[in-house]
Amino acid sequence: MSATESSSVGRRTFVLGAAAAAGSAALAGPLAPAASAAGFGWSDDGSDYVVDTGANLVFKVSKTNGDLTSLVYKGTEYQGYGGKNSHVESGLGTSTVTIGQSGSTILISVAYGTLMHYYAARSGENNVYLWTNKADTSVSATRYIVRVKAGLFLNDEPDSYTYTTSTVEASDVFAKSDGQTRSKHYSKLRVIDYDYIGWTTGSIGLWIVRSNHEKASGGPFYRSLLRHQSADGGGLYEILYYGENQTENQRFGLQGPYVIAFTAGGAPSSSLYHANLTTSWADSLGISGYVGASGRGRVAGVGISGRNTAYAYTVGLANSAAQYWGSARSSDGYFSLAGVLPGTYTLTVFKGELAVHTGSVTVSPGATTTLNTLTIPSSNDPGNPTAIWRIGDWNGSPSGFKNADLMTYAHPSDVRAASWTGNVVIGSGSETSAFPCYIWKDVNSGLLVHFKLTAAQAAAAHTLRIGVTTAYANGRPQITVNDTWTSAIPSPPAQPSTRSLTVGSYRGNNHTFTYSVPASAWLTDTSQYNVLKIDVVSGSGTTGYLSAGTAIDAIDLLA
């Protein structure tokens, strides 16, 4: 984007947080087009179906492949950069595309093998509603991307990027001339944190309102592509399945509705948010895989006991077919998850991002499953035991550690990152903030923790724990105490096999490593500091920030 283009547009980008669950049918063959081309209706221009919402939005869908080929709002074309359309994945290819109108709704259906995709328009609305039903792995459909022309919006947010000739890693992490890094991977936000993503000039807003992600994977704390800006335009994403640092298998079925929404500069209407979107008007459209409100159930819990009220708690439901989540009320832990597909689910209570309780719940259509107070066993929360010292909090994330926040939207080599060294002294008051959030075999392995023990403490064996949130290339910690006692190399826990620490995500499978340190390892002189050395070991990985590594949740020595 040129300086001239940048100076003529607004600079604000809005993203709001949320949670929860919403609903997710094709008209039988094309019907006669509406009589009035000037108002709400559709027409056929030979190559595309042209839909006029009767408000300020006219869009076109290719009759050949189902791509969105034009998106005109208030007379301005927004679709297109680099000669590309907006579409599922990178375009489906030759498809069967049909259109029909039922009252105030127009539906375009796209059939490509076992995949079905839909566009819907409502009379008088500046929105395009979308659904995608992926039935199996025969089609690589992992996203819908809205491709926006260059120069219409300015985005200086950290999760945007600009193509340059300088790459930091692979072909998708870039370095600006000032040393800052950019990548489409750097979303900064977890799925639970936003309802919509997009841009505004102050007078025009273009957004994607996300679906409830019931058929996506990764849970409420997952991060994936959201948007990007480059010299030739921008992209807004709805991720249907993303494999990078993924902790779950791919789910199949209908995802949606998600919405392309235009506004007069402000946020999209809250009525479109995934937790509130009413799709009763879609009940009779015949969308493949569609389940209306009457076919869904609800789970309500009267409360959660055993919580540490200093933390936020989230309740999640998941099985192989669907996932849902919602916040527990801070006062008593009450929660309610609506719009849930029938089935039996694993219910998980998260303290921060750390699972501290699991159970099972069955959901029936049209019914509410009410749960009595859930009790978190004290032993399930690793933050409960008394510790001689502790670095970080047991909350399932590296929050508070050095560089932790930056790493959700930057590469570890970014100029804004503090040094990845981080030896600390217990009692200094800066143990957590000075200790790096990530440790790599080839970058900063061998970090030291200095601490003193009383005579009684030094006379006893103790358990040392290191909690991690993910690992790359089987990286795991091995410890040495006072250069005299070294732990065995622990077995690697199950973790995603793709990149993680360098693409903006610490979210993997939380795991706690425990080490039984004998009394003989401690110094008997209480005036001296004991020294704990933490190394990362693994035979996998390459070099630098792609060597074996791990993300830290907490480290402590139990009393």
Side-chain angles (χ1 to χ4, degrees), residues 437-517:
C437 62
Y438 299 162
I439 309 176
W440 292 272
K441 183 178 180 179
D442 198 38
V443 175
N444 58 348
S445 187
L447 291 175
L448 305 178
V449 179
H450 303 264
F451 58 97
K452 292 182 178 180
L453 297 175
T454 66
Q457 290 168 342
H462 295 283
T463 296
L464 187 133
R465 303 184 300 179
I466 300 178
V468 302
T469 67
T470 195
Y472 176 68
N474 287 328
R476 66 267 197 200
Q478 182 182 36
I479 66 170
T480 300
V481 178
N482 293 321
D483 287 330
T484 61
W485 181 87
T486 300
S487 72
I489 297 175
S491 298
Q495 297 289 3
S497 59
T498 63
R499 289 179 298 169
S500 54
L501 309 181
T502 59
V503 290
S505 179
Y506 58 77
R507 176 77 276 126
N509 294 312
N510 285 96
H511 181 81
T512 300
F513 294 94
T514 59
Y515 310 85
S516 298
V517 184

Side-chain angles (χ1 to χ4, degrees), residues 158-161 169-174 182-189 222-228 237 242-245 407-410 499-500 502-505:
D159 60 348
S160 67
Y161 73 97
E169 182 178 297
S171 59
D172 55 9
V173 182
F174 303 92
R182 295 287 190 270
S183 175
K184 62 184 178 182
H185 297 293
Y186 298 151
S187 67
K188 192 174 185 179
L189 298 171
Y222 190 67
R223 287 178 166 85
S224 62
L225 283 68
L226 293 181
R227 61 185 168 193
H228 74 258
Y237 296 89
Y242 191 50
E244 201 82 71
N245 206 38
M407 287 302 96
T408 63
Y409 60 91
R499 289 179 298 169
S500 54
T502 59
V503 290
S505 179

Side-chain angles (χ1 to χ4, degrees), residues 317-390:
L317 302 178
N319 61 21
S320 61
Q323 61 172 4
Y324 307 90
W325 56 82
S327 299
R329 193 161 61 194
S330 60
S331 60
D332 56 8
Y334 168 83
F335 61 91
S336 177
L337 305 178
V340 179
L341 291 171
T344 298
Y345 294 85
T346 296
L347 181 151
T348 303
V349 178
F350 299 93
K351 169 197 174 188
E353 298 186 21
L354 184 65
V356 292
H357 174 76
T358 59
S360 180
V361 61
T362 298
V363 179
S364 300
T368 296
T369 301
T370 302
L371 303 177
N372 294 325
T373 298
L374 303 178
T375 300
I376 301 172
S378 179
S379 59
N380 284 13
D381 186 343
N384 285 335
T386 301
I388 297 172
W389 54 261
R390 178 169 291 151

